[in-house]
């Protein structure tokens, strides 16, 4: 046994065929925003609006993945990844958000998928990771029902062109963020603070998911939700009610819709608006059968219904409102756990909790953890990044995955967020989530200790798999 192997022996044994992945998204890594016919997205507009993104950063260049994708796939292959989750930039494919398809946009993703397959890495394609074409926002954005139909058209075009290349399609990444950070708190693009429109947006994002699943017909397709473990601060009635509300808006509003074809009655009752935007047949569409549920998990919230508490678990970097439509009075309390550089509490037990909960409370469905990871202040030390805290975070959460599998959860893969340091939305380049460091000046890639450790865990697990699998 080599020293490296001894150091990384954790007893983390996963079933054969488990997907060992890492994730990214288009706007956060690609750059090349004005190349090969790409149209503008709401993030192009948002980043150019003063005060929206910390230090005025934008992703015009990002980490230049559009030009360096071959080098990046080579890094993935060195790490031994068996799966890579990336997103397609809608305005690259349909610059105006509807109508003409830009073949050069599709070509980029074909080349990327080819490169992945040549290295035996399965492409997991996400259709929407928040970069709505600006022209669709100009027509009302997600609060406008028509956007959902445009999304289904776009999904069909991507599916037709890439179905022979892609292992698994997924629809909307984290509809909670797209709706509530985009249209209620305004922390994300398009930066609107319109609570009622945020709810409409949330419904139309769910509808877009269902319409796209139908439009892609019979391919392996999944939906993606970001789930939180939630604890009431005390067992007082008001804290229990706070926990019910936040669980309702964060978790059940999306899970119940996708998996059960209905919205939770208590959540609808918390929302002081007409629900006339939910049209007959919508819930059945949203409940269209999927093959896999993609679960993003980062943290636990401890919440209180007492007045005067903090607005949010981790303060936004820019001036923004509350995303908690209808439950703005709920406060987020320090749960006493260590935090990451985002201020997010570290709680791997929460991951076991949510995975077992989904398995217990919803119809049976294979799941993957499609994002999980942590930002920390990395320090360059003689050409190395000894990111022990990130390594410990991933190790603990992989342990949680294992625990969930042992408890009977059909968990089929894990995708670290993120493969590489990148543009972290309202935080600009201020937060590093990568297993691989990127020098934002020179674009040099450097594998961090956490990545070397992850590679060794993958190697130990895949060693026992048949080579032709
Ligand atoms: C998730 C997003 C991803 C990244 C991580 C840190 O909510 O899907 O793009 O920003 O958080």
């Amino acid at each position: 046994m080599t020293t490296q192997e001894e150091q990384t022996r954790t007893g983390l044994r996963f079933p054969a065929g488990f997907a060992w992945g890492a994730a990214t998204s288009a706007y956060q890594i690609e750059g090349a925003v004005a190349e090969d016919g790409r149209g503008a997205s709401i993030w192009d507009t948002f980043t150019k609006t003063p005060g929206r993104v910390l230090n005025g950063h934008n992703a015009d260049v990002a980490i230049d993945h559009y030009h360096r994708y071959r080098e990046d796939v080579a890094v993935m292959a060195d790490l031994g990844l068996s799966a890579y989750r990336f997103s397609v930039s809608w305005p690259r494919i349909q610059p105006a958000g509807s109508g003409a398809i830009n073949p050069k946009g599709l070509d980029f993703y074909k080349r990327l998928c080819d490169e992945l397959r040549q290295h035996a890495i399965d492409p997991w394609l996400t259709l929407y990771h928040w970069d709505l074409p600006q022209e669709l926002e100009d027509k009302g954005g997600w609060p406008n029902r028509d956007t959902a139909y445009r999304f289904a058209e776009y999904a069909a075009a991507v599916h037709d062109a890439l179905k022979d290349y892609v292992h698994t399609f997924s629809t909307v990444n984290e509809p909670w963020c797209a709706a509530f950070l985009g249209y209620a708190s305004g922390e994300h693009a398009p930066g609107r603070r319109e609570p009622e429109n945020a709810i409409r947006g949330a419904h139309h994002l769910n509808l877009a998911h269902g319409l796209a699943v139908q439009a892609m017909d019979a391919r392996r397709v999944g939906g993606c939700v970001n789930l939180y473990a939630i604890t009431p601060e005390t067992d007082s009635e008001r804290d229990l009610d706070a926990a019910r509300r936040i669980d309702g808006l964060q978790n059940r509003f999306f899970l119940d819709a996708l998996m059960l074809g209905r919205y939770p009655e208590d959540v609808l009752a918390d929302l002081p608006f007409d629900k006339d935007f939910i049209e007959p047949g919508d819930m059945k569409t949203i409940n269209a059968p999927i093959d896999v549920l993609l679960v993003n998990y980062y943290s636990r919230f401890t919440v209180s219904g007492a007045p005067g508490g903090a607005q949010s678990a981790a303060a936004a970097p820019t001036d923004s409102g509350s995303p908690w439509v209808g439950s703005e009075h709920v406060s987020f309390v320090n749960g006493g756990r260590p935090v990451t550089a985002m201020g997010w509490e570290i709680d791997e037990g929460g991951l076991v909790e949510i995975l077992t909960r989904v398995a217990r409370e919803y119809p049976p469905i294979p799941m993957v953890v499609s994002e999980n990871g942590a930002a920390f202040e990395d320090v360059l030390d003689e050409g190395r990044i000894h990111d022990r805290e990130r390594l410990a975070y991933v190790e603990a959460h992989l342990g949680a995955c294992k625990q969930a599998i042992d408890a009977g959860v059909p968990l089929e893969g894990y995708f670290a967020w993120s493969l590489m340091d990148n543009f972290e939305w309202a935080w600009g380049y201020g937060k590093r989530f990568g297993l691989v460091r990127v020098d934002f000046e020179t674009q040099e890639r450097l594998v961090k200790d956490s990545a070397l450790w992850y590679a060794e865990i993958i190697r130990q697990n895949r060693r026992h798999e048949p080579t032709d699998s």
Side-chain angles (χ1 to χ4, degrees), residues 28 129-130 173-174 177 296 298 344 371 417 424-425 433:
Q28 293 178 277
H129 202 126
W130 307 350
N173 176 71
E174 301 189 351
C177 291
N296 294 0
Y298 289 94
W344 298 350
E371 279 184 33
W417 183 273
E424 179 49 34
W425 307 114
F433 275 89

Side-chain angles (χ1 to χ4, degrees), residues 20-81:
W20 293 98
T24 62
S25 86
Y27 188 69
Q28 293 178 277
I29 64 167
E30 286 179 2
V33 292
E35 254 172 85
D36 293 338
R38 178 187 179 277
S41 83
I42 53 174
W43 273 94
D44 296 294
T45 309
F46 191 72
T47 53
K48 305 293 158 56
T49 311
R52 294 306 208 170
V53 174
L54 199 63
N55 300 317
H57 289 162
N58 63 57
D60 287 1
V61 176
I63 59 169
D64 196 31
H65 172 76
Y66 192 75
H67 301 114
R68 292 169 196 261
Y69 71 92
R70 281 205 175 83
E71 184 193 335
D72 293 337
V73 173
V75 172
M76 297 177 216
D78 283 348
L79 297 179
L81 298 188

Side-chain angles (χ1 to χ4, degrees), residues 199-215:
I199 296 293
R200 286 177 174 269
H203 177 64
H204 295 148
L205 282 151
N206 284 340
L207 182 63
H209 157 81
L211 291 168
V213 170
Q214 291 175 344

Side-chain angles (χ1 to χ4, degrees), residues 236-257:
S236 71
E237 215 172 291
R238 114 185 138 171
D239 290 354
L240 290 173
D241 183 63
R244 176 194 64 73
R245 285 166 173 271
I246 300 306
D247 177 50
L249 215 51
Q250 176 77 56
N251 299 328
R252 289 180 290 121
F253 187 84
F254 299 96
L255 279 174
D256 287 17

